[in-house]
């Protein structure tokens, strides 16, 4: 039983309704729009979770979870809008790399640790952090329960950077 085309667009007369959409290029204005949408969704989710649970304001796992949810939704929407028949690995720029690049990345990170600490201390001497901000930071990074001992490092070291890389390096 044929019910006819599910979607008809007068501009796509030659394309059957079940054919995959054509790839639309990602232009700079679209990239800015998608990044702004991801940021807006993150703020909206943070506001919503903070209104439900005031303690979420200092919950790092909640904050990065809201960011991950917003970015993943935008990645999905980008794939639906711009990918066409492109596979997900290509869209997200996931590809094999030489194993020595992991070592190089770790070495660069270690080498930059000392200069970064020197800059941080110089800034702290010039503009000291107020005690109330330090207390907020301590509350944010607290690991007083077993679940937080697992979730905080996992979210900070793995989930957050992974989602950001997939969104900014890959999808955009």
């Amino acid at each position: 039983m044929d019910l006819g085309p599910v979607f008809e667009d007068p501009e796509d007369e030659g394309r059957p309704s079940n054919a995959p959409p054509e790839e639309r290029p990602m232009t700079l204005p679209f990239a800015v729009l998608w990044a702004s949408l991801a940021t807006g969704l993150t703020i909206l989710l943070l506001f919503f979770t903070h209104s439900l649970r005031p303690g979420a304001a200092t919950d790092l796992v909640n904050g990065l979870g809201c960011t991950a949810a917003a970015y993943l939704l935008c990645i999905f929407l980008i794939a639906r809008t711009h990918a066409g028949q492109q596979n997900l690995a290509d869209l997200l720029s996931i590809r094999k790399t030489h194993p020595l690049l992991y070592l190089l990345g770790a070495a660069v990170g270690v080498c930059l640790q000392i200069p970064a600490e020197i800059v941080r201390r110089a800034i702290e001497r010039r503009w000291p952090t107020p005690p109330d901000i330090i207390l907020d930071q301590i509350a944010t990074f607290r690991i007083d329960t077993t679940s937080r001992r697992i979730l905080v490092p996992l979210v900070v070291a793995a989930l957050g950077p992974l989602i950001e890389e997939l969104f900014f390096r890959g999808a955009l």
Side-chain angles (χ1 to χ4, degrees):
M1 179 172 136
D2 185 20
L3 299 176
V6 177
F7 173 76
E8 284 189 35
D9 187 354
E11 296 177 10
D12 289 342
E13 291 177 14
R15 186 177 69 123
S17 63
N18 59 351
E22 294 179 22
E23 185 175 338
R24 293 182 187 106
M26 174 74 72
T27 61
L28 182 60
F30 270 125
V32 170
L33 178 72
W34 287 117
S36 300
L37 179 64
T39 303
L41 282 173
T42 300
I43 292 169
L44 184 68
L45 288 172
L46 287 170
F47 177 76
F48 180 70
T49 58
H50 293 178
S51 67
L52 291 177
R53 186 175 61 96
T58 59
D59 189 354
L60 184 64
V61 174
N62 177 71
L64 285 173
C66 290
T67 302
Y71 283 11
L72 287 173
L73 177 62
C74 284
I75 288 171
F76 171 76
L77 293 173
I78 288 170
R80 298 289 296 164
T81 305
H82 296 283
Q85 295 185 27
Q86 187 178 21
N87 67 28
L88 193 59
D90 287 341
L91 174 72
L92 299 178
S93 299
I94 298 172
R95 59 191 174 278
K96 290 184 180 180
T97 189
H98 195 281
L100 288 178
L101 287 177
Y102 296 113
L103 273 172
L104 179 63
V108 168
V110 168
C111 290
L112 289 176
Q113 186 64 37
I114 292 173
E117 184 61 21
I118 291 170
V119 169
R120 187 197 68 77
R121 287 183 183 182
I123 291 170
E124 189 64 31
R125 271 194 305 274
R126 176 68 175 98
W127 297 286
T129 305
D132 57 328
I133 303 264
I134 292 173
L135 291 175
D136 287 344
Q137 291 172 345
I138 290 171
T140 299
F141 288 100
R142 73 183 189 284
I143 51 171
D144 50 358
T145 64
T146 303
S147 63
R148 289 193 63 80
R149 283 189 187 103
I150 294 168
L151 286 176
V152 168
L154 180 70
V155 165
V156 170
L159 181 65
L162 175 68
I163 295 297
E164 288 177 6
E165 282 295 314
L166 289 175
F167 184 75
F168 289 105
R169 183 182 63 96
L172 285 188

